[in-house]
Amino acid sequence: MAATHHQSSAALAARQRLADRLRELRLDAGLSGRDVAARTGWQPSKVSRLETGKTPPADADIRAWCAACEMDELAPDLIAAGRAAASMYREWRRLQRAGLKNLQNSHVPSYARTKEFRVYSSTVVPGMLQTPDYALAMLRSVAAFHGGVGDVEAAVQARMERSEMVRNSGSRLVVVLEESVLRHVLGGAEVMAAQLGALLSAMSAPPVSLGIIPVGTLRQDLWTLETFTLLDAERVSVELLTAAVTVTAPSEIAQYRRAFAAMAEHAVYGAPARELVAGAIQSLSQLPWNSVERCGIPETGASTFVTPNALSRKVAMNPIIALTGPVFLTDPLFDPPGPAPGCDVCGALIEQWRRASVVGAPEYDPGRASDFAVEIRRHPHGKGRQA
């Protein structure tokens, strides 16, 4: 399907308003379409396409049109209107000509102003929750598909810095994911396990609300939608295969807000959501654990992730160890938490952790296992247990 079929109605309306204005200028000047064609040196068909909105005018086209109508003073305002309309629908191929790093940085001003992000994703883990290696795998796929400047690693660094800026700003992040996002493996099993661990870690962060819509959820109000981000009540960023669409029309923003609210109602949170992530991590143990090329960019968040070989050994023994390791770090090998010598509280907690973390055991509960792991490591007697 052609990319133009997906364009936001706001973008189309803005383009049509500009086309109507050009037509009004021609009529006010008492000119026919052929007159404008003769004065500009264009084919009459081009005049028709421009004033019907079928073809967006370039800056030079607007200047020539205004000159033909003897209204040169109107050109700057019309050019500004044309650029605004074009910015609502931007093809990825054009955006990436300046490099993926510049594309990441182009979002910084709007992200810095935003106090609340509401993200619905049916495709990949949202950028603000991505690990460097997951982002590397994803952006490499994007670059391979769309082409462009080969600056993927610089783009990953820019994305991590942008995410850190959002975290440090105190902005609220409300995310709803389709469960299929957890099952779509990017970068290999090791990279995906670390990414899923980062999601579990994010669930415990106060500014973050993370919900997951289970596969098979009955929906009578909405179907699975394209990935989109609500930035406060000002705009919506919609990600399509071929383009990024920015929605600013209040009526359309209201529809996306309703859609997000509907999706959020279908999602599960807390322990049920952690169960879904844990299930996705366990499924990774069935995949080949091949070595992968690492990004080499240090983590900016609180979690650090295990090396591929170490994580592979841990998952082979017990997938839950992989779950708790990347999320709540105590030592480089992510061994299970241990009680401080002589601390009865830590000893009781570690026993409850063991019961909840053994796959197939009667008390198996990955959500409670994560909670116990946090409590053990936050306990004063457990803080000194570093390798």
Side-chain angles (χ1 to χ4, degrees), residues 93-383:
R93 289 177 67 90
R94 180 167 63 85
L95 288 172
Q96 292 167 16
R97 285 174 192 162
L100 286 169
K101 177 183 177 181
N102 287 333
L103 178 57
Q104 302 302 309
N105 289 334
S106 69
H107 295 288
V108 169
S110 61
Y111 278 31
R113 295 192 305 268
T114 302
K115 299 302 180 186
E116 182 181 71
F117 298 85
R118 277 176 284 179
V119 185
Y120 165 78
S121 180
S122 57
T123 50
V124 297
V125 173
M128 285 175 282
L129 296 177
Q130 290 176 2
T131 64
D133 290 317
Y134 183 93
L136 178 68
M138 195 200 75
L139 290 177
R140 277 182 173 162
S141 297
V142 169
F145 186 82
H146 291 295
V149 178
D151 62 342
V152 173
E153 292 199 0
V156 172
Q157 180 69 60
R159 173 166 289 193
M160 295 302 107
E161 292 172 355
R162 188 184 69 192
S163 298
E164 185 176 18
M165 176 202 72
V166 171
R167 284 194 297 271
N168 293 338
S169 70
S171 300
R172 187 161 186 260
L173 180 60
V174 184
V175 179
V176 174
L177 302 179
E178 297 286 346
E179 186 185 356
S180 57
V181 171
L182 310 178
R183 302 283 180 161
H184 177 57
V185 178
L186 278 174
E190 296 92 340
V191 170
M192 197 65 197
Q195 177 60 72
L196 294 171
L199 289 182
L200 285 168
S201 183
M203 288 180 182
S204 64
V208 178
S209 170
L210 178 56
I212 300 170
I213 303 176
V215 170
T217 297
L218 179 62
R219 309 180 218 199
Q220 297 179 339
D221 44 6
L222 274 178
W223 52 95
T224 302
L225 300 175
E226 67 276 7
T227 294
F228 64 87
T229 302
L230 279 152
L231 292 83
D232 291 330
E234 296 181 358
R235 66 181 61 200
V236 182
S237 176
V238 185
E239 298 181 8
L240 306 174
L241 174 66
T242 55
V245 176
T246 300
V247 177
T248 57
S251 61
E252 288 194 78
I253 292 175
Q255 289 186 59
Y256 276 102
R257 293 179 69 177
R258 284 176 49 216
F260 186 86
M263 292 303 187
E265 287 185 2
H266 291 304
V268 297
Y269 302 85
R274 290 195 295 268
E275 286 271 12
L276 293 176
V277 179
I281 291 176
Q282 291 165 29
S283 71
L284 294 173
S285 63
Q286 321 242 341
L287 299 177
W289 289 78
N290 299 323
S291 290
V292 293
E293 183 178 350
R294 311 294 286 178
C295 184
I297 296 173
E299 294 288 333
T300 55
S303 301
T304 305
F305 298 104
V306 69
T307 60
N309 290 337
L311 185 56
S312 176
R313 290 196 300 272
K314 297 295 182 182
V315 169
M317 292 186 294
N318 186 346
I320 280 296
I321 294 176
L323 180 155
T324 56
V327 182
F328 305 110
L329 172 65
T330 56
D331 62 49
L333 293 180
F334 303 104
D335 289 328
C343 177
D344 293 336
V345 174
C346 286
L349 287 171
I350 191 66
E351 181 58 31
Q352 293 181 77
W353 179 88
R354 287 192 178 113
R355 292 175 183 173
S357 66
V358 177
V359 179
E363 297 181 41
Y364 169 60
D365 185 332
R368 293 186 68 216
S370 292
D371 292 340
F372 288 135
V374 173
E375 193 61 34
I376 292 166
R377 285 152 182 164
R378 285 179 178 171
H379 190 272
H381 295 289
K383 288 184 177 179

